[in-house]
Amino acid sequence: SDGSIRLHQMTSEYPLMQWNDSTNGHPITAVQWALTRPAVFFVLDASSNIYIWDLLENDLLPMAKQTFPSENVVAMNLLGEPEKPNGLLGIALAKESGEIDIEYVKKRWAMP
């Protein structure tokens, strides 16, 4: 609820990494790992911002932020085929109106 993200290992109750206030205090509504690139994850906050983290590039800050100001994004789900080396990765965004948008991620965050 405060925008903090914690990365845990299954064998420990203490986080390996913790990023406080990673969304400028906005509650986080979804977190998902990329299906095609294990070090990349996506965060959706309650203000319809999506943050792209690539832990191999920078483990302190997100690499990119995309804002969807025109309508409230209420859910996201990643689309991709991890067994295929084409690096195609998409994000399905559910908006408050019931509309679904599909956005494709740049290859640099999708390639295995």
Side-chain angles (χ1 to χ4, degrees):
S1 66
D2 65 358
S4 296
I5 301 170
R6 291 176 196 89
L7 176 65
H8 284 268
Q9 185 174 357
M10 296 298 287
T11 58
S12 174
E13 66 183 278
Y14 301 104
L16 294 172
M17 296 283 294
Q18 180 168 325
W19 300 276
N20 294 321
D21 199 32
S22 64
T23 59
N24 295 322
H26 299 290
I28 293 171
T29 58
V31 177
Q32 279 199 291
W33 286 103
L35 301 170
T36 56
R37 188 175 170 107
V40 174
F41 66 93
F42 297 78
V43 175
L44 172 65
D45 73 14
S47 295
S48 299
N49 299 304
I50 294 179
Y51 303 84
I52 302 172
W53 291 75
D54 185 343
L55 299 179
L56 295 178
E57 294 287 327
N58 185 344
D59 63 0
L60 299 176
L61 299 168
M63 297 298 294
K65 174 184 173 184
Q66 179 67 47
T67 302
F68 296 89
S70 61
E71 193 168 349
N72 192 22
V73 176
V74 295
M76 78 171 178
N77 196 21
L78 296 179
L79 313 166
E81 298 177 289
E83 63 278 352
K84 292 188 178 177
N86 65 4
L88 194 61
L89 180 66
I91 305 175
L93 303 171
K95 296 184 175 183
E96 196 171 50
S97 67
E99 185 179 318
I100 304 286
D101 279 351
I102 306 292
E103 304 282 338
Y104 287 97
V105 176
K106 290 182 179 180
K107 290 264 188 199
R108 69 185 251 196
W109 295 308
M111 291 299 287

